[in-house]
Amino acid sequence: ISQKNPGYPFFAVVFQWLHALRFAPLFYGAFGCLGLFYGARRWLGRWGGTYCVALYCVSGAALNFAWRATMPTFSDASLIAGAAGLLLGVLLANGESETRRLALGALAFFALDGAVLIRYTNVAVLIIGVITVMALARAAAVTRAMLLSWFGVVVVFALGDLELNHALYGGFMKTGYSSGLITFDTSAILPNLERMPVRLIESLPMVLLALGALAWIVVRLVCTGSLDSFERERSRVRRDATVALFVGAGWLSIWGLYATYTWTVGQTVGPGNPVHVVRFYLPALGLIVLLAAWLLARLPRWLPVALIALLAGLGVWSFQTPANHAIAGPRRSPPSPTYRGAPSPSAPGGD
């Protein structure tokens, strides 16, 4: 247990007992893929889930972190991805059994809470999830029993987080870091905006598809509102815009937060190892590929296949640079340097 990811051992210990720690990130990755498939298929139709899962698995960042058994980055990203897909499917499936929707929604919030327990900054996505459910409860026919059950999961998990902090660090709101070591400040926005986009696009090129989807959704919304369209078409456009609004808000909550992270400013001077900085942005991957899949679902069938193959090639290529660093694989690391006979402290931003 470390102050950086205090909850990950609770999610990995079973695999450690089974001597199969390598399967921990793969297990949570499978959960993320299943959730994304369920939600994207419900939203985008027959091929939407397939496109979404394929996009989730082919980025260089996903390949690197899924390979790193003891680093929780891919696991918490997958918990968020699975939760986003489940919530999307539950909110769109207002004709299904209430018991089924209640159970899947509770599982989604359990996964979101787990992602927060692994990395506390994921609370930004959890907040967006709660706001989304509250805002769409009436339109999605969410019952009071569902809301009480889902928010009950959030409250119980939050109390558990606070108690864990108290037990480990001596205070309900403490995280193990000394005051002022981890800082977020608006002064970091400009340098991060100057240096991070290239690294992110190299590791997560599906970002470009997601941005294209957002632009297209906005154009469709404006054009449909100004033209004499059929009511069914207007309803579909409004639904897509609503989903994109909340999915995009979740994406922005993570990337906007880390745009203000002061530690990454110093880490992006020079080439460096992109894994160290890209990992903070990976929890939004599931939300990104949901939007990217929307775009692929509207293209001729051969074109999404070609684009996914291209992205897979880029993923393998972008995997190589960080794979040459010890952080990306299970290699034996050299002995830690010492300072006056004690191990040197790790960098504040490290996992």
Side-chain angles (χ1 to χ4, degrees):
I1 291 181
S2 82
Q3 70 273 33
K4 297 148 188 164
N5 37 263
Y8 185 56
F10 296 104
F11 291 87
V13 67
V14 173
F15 300 93
Q16 179 78 3
W17 290 340
L18 297 173
H19 303 286
L21 191 59
R22 173 66 60 207
F23 287 94
L26 302 182
F27 174 83
Y28 296 110
F31 169 77
C33 289
L34 289 171
L36 288 172
F37 185 86
Y38 172 73
R41 185 179 177 88
R42 175 77 61 180
W43 180 30
L44 304 173
R46 181 179 178 186
W47 287 95
T50 303
Y51 295 151
C52 197
V53 171
L55 290 171
Y56 187 73
C57 294
V58 300
S59 75
L63 292 172
N64 270 289
F65 293 115
W67 175 243
R68 179 70 176 178
T70 56
M71 182 178 265
T73 306
F74 185 70
S75 297
D76 70 295
S78 296
L79 288 173
I80 291 174
L86 288 176
L87 273 182
L88 175 59
V90 166
L91 292 176
L92 291 177
N94 53 13
E96 282 196 359
S97 160
E98 179 180 336
T99 302
R100 176 185 172 88
R101 296 178 71 201
L102 187 153
L104 290 178
L107 178 60
F109 276 104
F110 183 87
L112 282 177
D113 287 320
V116 175
L117 182 60
I118 291 175
R119 182 178 291 280
Y120 287 151
T121 50
N122 289 331
V123 71
V125 182
L126 175 60
I127 292 171
I128 296 298
V130 171
I131 293 173
T132 300
V133 168
M134 293 177 64
L136 301 179
R138 177 173 296 182
V142 175
T143 65
R144 181 175 298 180
M146 293 181 197
L147 288 177
L148 292 176
S149 300
W150 298 348
F151 294 161
V153 171
V154 174
V155 171
V156 170
F157 231 108
L159 294 175
D161 286 349
L162 295 175
E163 180 55 34
L164 180 64
N165 287 342
H166 182 261
L168 293 178
Y169 311 123
F172 293 111
M173 301 303 293
K174 290 185 177 181
T175 62
Y177 285 110
S178 58
S179 179
L181 186 60
I182 302 299
T183 57
F184 295 87
D185 193 273
T186 54
S187 63
I189 294 178
L190 185 58
N192 278 328
L193 287 178
E194 290 174 348
R195 302 166 192 170
M196 283 305 304
V198 172
R199 290 171 170 83
L200 292 171
I201 291 173
E202 284 180 351
S203 297
L204 305 166
M206 53 284 302
V207 166
L208 299 177
L209 296 178
L211 291 173
L214 286 174
W216 192 348
I217 288 171
V218 170
V219 170
R220 287 176 77 232
L221 182 64
V222 173
C223 292
T224 304
S226 61
L227 298 176
D228 187 19
S229 306
F230 291 109
E231 181 58 32
R232 183 177 179 181
E233 175 65 17
R234 285 198 297 268
S235 175
R236 187 160 47 242
V237 169
R238 286 195 297 267
R239 185 194 65 174
D240 289 347
T242 301
V243 172
L245 172 64
F246 289 104
V247 171
W251 174 11
L252 181 63
S253 70
I254 289 291
W255 284 31
L257 175 64
Y258 277 106
T260 67
Y261 191 25
T262 57
W263 185 81
T264 54
V265 173
Q267 298 298 312
T268 50
V269 176
N273 181 358
V275 169
H276 284 295
V277 290
V278 170
R279 62 195 168 93
F280 297 113
Y281 296 79
L282 192 71
L285 178 58
L287 303 168
I288 292 168
V289 298
L290 278 170
L291 292 170
W294 181 93
L295 181 65
L296 295 186
R298 273 145 186 81
L299 300 176
R301 184 67 47 80
W302 65 270
L303 189 52
V305 175
L307 286 173
I308 291 172
L310 174 62
L311 290 173
L314 291 174
V316 173
W317 170 78
S318 67
F319 171 83
Q320 297 307 311
T321 299
N324 290 328
H325 293 72
I327 197 172
R331 303 169 182 152
R332 184 182 298 277
S333 301
S336 299
T338 59
Y339 178 71
R340 294 184 181 178
S344 60
S346 61
D351 278 301

